[in-house]
Amino acid sequence: MSSLPDREKQLLLGVARRVVTLAAERCESLEDLPQDENLIRPAGAFVTLRRRGRLRGCIGQLASTLPLISVVAQSARAAALEDPRFSPVRPSELAEIEIELSVLSPMEDIEPRWIEAGKHGLMVSKDSRRGVLLPQVAREFRWTAERLLEETCVKAGLGRDAWKDPSTRIQAFAAEAFSESTLRIEPEAPGD
């Protein structure tokens, strides 16, 4: 997975910020997306919103045929308004929200012994159930590879040991994660 230049990261974060602001203030979508060459290639991405350091929303798309910039815009709107774990973001919260983006590599099947916690994100699926955790989750909680597998199973609504069942599919991906604070982008004040 090739790294995005800072200029393109800033462009993606700027789009995500505008989308979250429009969603919270007017329930509208951003219609005119920049057409940067590297950002119109198909890719999966997740948008994570944090308020005062706490999760406030996280939505994404794994593999996609859509341009990366479109996936970021759609996911930013969904993270602000549609994450079922949270109420929609209110305009009064915008100044306290930090946006993090995770641009994903393609997914590949992986044997449990090859999983590296912190490097790999996982998708565990069995029957109609599916759970996904980003690589930074394992880093944040200092999980081992086995714990990452267990928690991804739990996220899928499966038993902790479901990853040991041969009918359970385990896939791994990498993510290039960056946020407004890592790139020193100041959130816009409401009404900007």
Side-chain angles (χ1 to χ4, degrees):
M1 186 167 126
S2 62
S3 180
L4 289 169
D6 282 353
R7 185 188 82 68
E8 291 170 354
K9 291 177 184 176
Q10 290 172 337
L11 186 61
L12 285 171
L13 285 165
V15 164
R17 173 57 65 180
R18 287 194 306 278
V19 167
V20 168
T21 300
L22 275 171
E25 290 179 345
R26 298 182 218 139
C27 286
E28 293 179 5
S29 298
L30 183 63
E31 299 298 327
D32 192 23
L33 298 175
Q35 296 298 308
D36 186 279
E37 182 180 328
N38 284 330
L39 304 183
I40 59 171
R41 67 178 168 80
F46 273 73
V47 176
T48 303
L49 307 179
R50 286 193 172 77
R51 182 175 179 222
R52 298 183 195 155
R54 297 184 62 133
L55 184 64
R56 183 61 180 85
C58 183
I59 300 279
Q61 296 181 33
L62 295 167
S64 180
T65 57
L66 295 174
L68 172 60
I69 197 153
S70 297
V71 171
V72 166
Q74 290 175 7
S75 298
R77 186 178 196 288
L81 300 179
E82 300 168 14
D83 189 323
R85 300 169 293 181
F86 303 97
S87 62
V89 171
R90 295 179 310 275
S92 61
E93 297 176 274
L94 289 170
E96 296 179 319
I97 286 182
E98 180 180 12
I99 299 173
E100 177 183 84
L101 303 181
S102 299
V103 178
L104 310 182
S105 71
M107 284 214 265
E108 299 178 1
D109 290 327
I110 192 168
E111 302 253 346
R113 68 177 179 226
W114 298 115
I115 294 170
E116 294 180 47
K119 176 183 176 185
H120 293 123
L122 294 182
M123 181 170 83
V124 171
S125 51
K126 181 177 180 184
D127 302 323
S128 63
R129 296 180 183 263
R130 178 175 88 165
V132 177
L133 286 174
L134 297 171
Q136 54 267 41
V137 174
R139 283 194 301 270
E140 180 181 340
F141 292 106
R142 295 187 174 103
W143 288 343
T144 63
E146 185 169 329
R147 177 76 187 272
L148 175 60
L149 276 162
E150 291 173 349
E151 296 296 336
T152 309
C153 288
V154 169
K155 183 116 189 246
L158 301 168
R160 296 186 84 73
D161 291 339
W163 62 272
K164 296 177 181 176
D165 184 330
S167 66
T168 300
R169 185 174 187 189
I170 304 167
Q171 295 175 284
F173 58 91
E176 181 177 6
F178 48 95
S179 66
E180 291 171 317
S181 64
T182 61
L183 289 175
R184 295 182 179 22
I185 295 173
E186 294 297 320
E188 294 176 14
D192 281 357

